[in-house]
Amino acid sequence: MDIGVVLQCTPPASRVIELARLAETYGFSHVWTFDSHLLWQEPYVIYSQILAATRKIMVGPMVTNPATRDWTVTASTFATLNEMFGNRTVCGIGRGDSAVRTLGGKPATLATLRRSIEVIRELGNGRGARVDDTVVRLPWAADSRLDVWVAGYGPRALELTGAVADGFILQLADPDITAWTVARVRAAAERAGRDPASVRICVAAPAYVTDGTDAAQAHARQQCRWFGGMVGNHVAEMVARYGTAGDIPAALTDYIEGRRGYDYNLHGRAGNVHAEYVPDAIVDRFCLLGTPDDQLSRLRELERLGVDQFAVYLQHDAKNATLAAYGESVLPRLASLVTTTKSTEGSD
């Protein structure tokens, strides 16, 4: 399993770049960022500096959207970074949340999202793409390679992801919900005539490493409660569309009954007062809180469910400590487990 990290482009940009550099030093595979140009600084400018300061790490948005950015410009930006730094970008995309809503807009339709994926991926891989009635190409981007990963929760979004995406991003780490969404995506891929295993799976959630004491766990929950509020904001829209009937997991819908509005000025921030309705049990299930052993236990559970990457949201007061704990106490043991498993399989 790869381990990535999700950063906000909060000023100063030099701090974001330094965290990315540290992440690579500790063995992280990906650096993702929020893409919300009013709330934070411009991520694509920062990607260039991250790539210049590192050697192997992949970068990309978690997530961009088809509403606030022209699709051809998005593809050209990725292809340019690939030419400069050697195909080290990945495009995470969804219908749009904070970047759109802070402008008074609405998320894109799934039909629009699908068309944007096709345009961005074709152009980002040096191929021609149809934009309205015109076929366009980036003639200088023949060597560019770009995967497009889709974020979503609802049944139709999961169907779209399985049908067309290179990867699926689930923004929570609840094992039951992970199992449900992964099964949906895999089944959709099979219906579309694709190899279900070809769709990569990324689970993204805050991780906070503690010593396991009650006081430390309580502090970690409070630092990560904002995430339940962010997820709840997405879930509320899904419930408005689909209701709570059907096979949507109750763990994904029941807890938002106490939700009362949302302030995007506090989006993705520890201490977000609009997340106080989120119960401790949801924080514990959606996030990874606890000792390195606790972190490894959940990571192994997610890996057994088919997860290829866990991406650590780092929006709390222990950024450096979390990177260090993962680099020193989690990633080496996770890699050791993989090596031991492969060795055992080879001896049969």
Side-chain angles (χ1 to χ4, degrees):
M1 177 190 283
D2 289 335
I3 303 294
V5 64
V6 186
L7 306 175
Q8 282 177 339
C9 295
T10 304
S14 58
R15 171 64 170 153
V16 183
I17 296 160
E18 176 60 15
L19 287 170
R21 190 193 64 78
L22 281 173
E24 180 174 78
T25 300
Y26 284 127
F28 287 72
S29 62
H30 290 67
V31 171
W32 305 87
T33 74
F34 287 59
D35 178 8
S36 194
H37 59 286
L38 293 182
L39 296 177
W40 304 290
Q41 292 181 322
E42 175 56 40
Y44 294 97
V45 176
I46 295 174
Y47 294 160
S48 185
Q49 293 299 304
I50 290 174
L51 290 166
T54 57
R55 295 184 299 110
K56 297 185 297 181
I57 211 157
M58 302 285 290
V59 304
M62 187 179 284
V63 291
T64 192
N65 71 86
T68 60
R69 296 187 182 276
D70 180 273
W71 311 342
T72 62
V73 175
T74 295
S76 180
T77 301
F78 282 117
T80 300
L81 290 171
N82 284 339
E83 191 279 326
M84 294 172 67
F85 300 104
N87 288 331
R88 291 169 55 199
T89 67
V90 57
C91 178
I93 193 168
R95 294 175 55 221
D97 183 35
S98 61
V100 178
R101 295 189 190 279
T102 51
L103 290 168
K106 295 181 179 180
T109 65
L110 287 173
T112 297
L113 175 61
R114 183 172 190 145
R115 291 196 302 273
S116 74
I117 292 167
E118 293 168 353
V119 170
I120 292 168
R121 182 165 51 204
E122 293 306 292
L123 294 179
N125 284 281
R127 301 186 290 263
R130 179 172 294 278
V131 180
D132 296 326
D133 295 326
T134 304
V135 175
V136 297
R137 183 187 298 272
L138 304 175
W140 46 269
D143 295 329
S144 176
R145 297 295 177 265
L146 180 69
D147 284 349
V148 180
W149 297 34
V150 176
Y153 299 97
R156 290 178 59 211
L158 299 177
E159 183 75 23
L160 168 65
T161 300
V164 304
D166 298 301
F168 166 54
I169 297 171
L170 174 64
Q171 291 162 307
L172 54 81
D174 177 281
D176 292 340
I177 297 172
T178 298
W180 179 77
T181 56
V182 169
R184 283 270 187 165
V185 169
R186 299 285 196 219
E190 189 168 11
R191 283 193 293 273
R194 307 176 67 198
D195 176 5
S198 68
V199 184
R200 305 280 288 174
I201 307 295
C202 175
V203 163
Y208 200 110
V209 182
T210 74
D211 60 9
T213 62
D214 289 345
Q217 291 295 106
H219 178 76
R221 286 190 192 100
Q222 204 56 26
Q223 284 291 304
C224 298
R225 199 176 305 277
W226 66 267
F227 184 71
M230 185 186 82
V231 172
N233 208 42
H234 296 298
V235 171
E237 181 181 357
M238 185 178 72
V239 168
R241 178 183 296 269
Y242 299 106
T244 57
D247 63 347
I248 299 174
L252 187 57
T253 58
D254 287 356
Y255 84 98
I256 67 166
E257 290 180 1
R259 178 180 176 271
R260 297 292 183 271
Y262 193 79
D263 183 356
Y264 278 95
N265 289 311
L266 300 175
H267 188 62
R269 294 187 184 182
N272 186 338
V273 296
H274 297 281
E276 289 303 316
Y277 72 91
V278 179
D280 288 352
I282 287 293
V283 181
D284 290 347
R285 290 189 66 82
F286 282 14
C287 306
L288 271 65
L289 312 178
T291 66
D293 284 344
D294 295 329
Q295 307 278 329
L296 279 165
S297 178
R298 180 71 69 83
L299 290 172
R300 290 165 180 165
E301 185 175 8
L302 292 171
E303 193 170 39
R304 287 192 294 271
L305 293 173
V307 175
D308 300 292
Q309 180 185 157
F310 176 69
V312 177
Y313 272 96
L314 211 59
Q315 287 69 55
H316 50 56
D317 64 359
K319 294 178 176 63
N320 285 58
T322 300
L323 290 176
Y326 261 70
E328 295 168 6
S329 302
V330 177
L331 269 71
R333 294 166 65 188
L334 194 62
S336 175
L337 174 68
V338 172
T339 301
T340 301
T341 301
K342 289 182 177 178
S343 176
T344 302
E345 291 172 349
S347 65
D348 290 340

